[in-house]
Amino acid sequence: MNKNFLALVISVCLLTAVAPTSVAFGVSASPQRQGEKKQLAEAGTAVKVSEILAKLKGKTQVPIFIPSLLDSEKLYYQTTAKTDSYTISMDLTAECNGVTACSFGEIRAQKGGEFSTKIEGVTKTLKNVQLARGVKGVFHNGCGAYCTASVEWKSQGVLYTVAIKNGREADVIKMANSAIQAGKR
């Protein structure tokens, strides 16, 4: 095998393995980039959810929960919405388009969705957790090519999920609590 190719593969694997473990979520006032992607603001800034909501409202009938508080670096997001669901993808690059290596995490809602269950050979951790406002949730950490930490909770028959690639339990719980405390948008 070509040594340069092998070095490139190792570099990509290392970059994927050290993806950030906490999130910043705030839409900057910068002009819209390609499609529905926008650059997210620096850590410590309040989330300007109006731009995200504009992409979801009228396209989904699911109550929208978006965190107001996250911590980390600049991210980019892409939204998709259906009548019974929505997804907000958080990416490390503007041109990620769902590619695993540059994906950071996501926020999802699915009407009628079911909590995660243990998946043999993939699930590292699956446990009940207490979230803000007395909401009961489930923390799941599953690993394949990389690990994904997620927290799920239900409200009015809708399963909500926040997930971070190579994330930590504390980070996804913080994200979920922020969304719950912010309330329906």
Side-chain angles (χ1 to χ4, degrees), residues 10-30:
I10 291 170
S11 296
V12 169
C13 290
L14 288 174
L15 285 173
T16 301
V18 296
T21 58
S22 29
V23 208
F25 197 83
V27 181
S28 73
S30 63

Side-chain angles (χ1 to χ4, degrees), residues 1 44-45 48 51 60 78 85 89 112 124 141 148 157 162 169:
M1 180 179 287
T45 60
K48 295 180 182 178
E51 292 181 35
T60 186
Q78 180 176 4
S85 65
S89 299
K124 282 179 60 178
N141 191 15
T148 299
V162 294
E169 180 179 352

Side-chain angles (χ1 to χ4, degrees), residues 6-7 10 15 38 40 44 50 67 69 71 88 91 103 110 125-126 136 148 156 168-169 171 173-174:
L6 183 57
I10 291 170
L15 285 173
K38 300 225 183 251
L40 296 179
S50 60
L69 171 66
D71 310 312
I88 303 166
D91 300 322
S103 173
Q110 175 66 55
T125 307
L126 181 68
K136 295 180 188 217
T148 299
Q156 299 179 351
R168 297 177 306 174
E169 180 179 352
D171 296 324
I173 288 176
K174 184 177 179 180

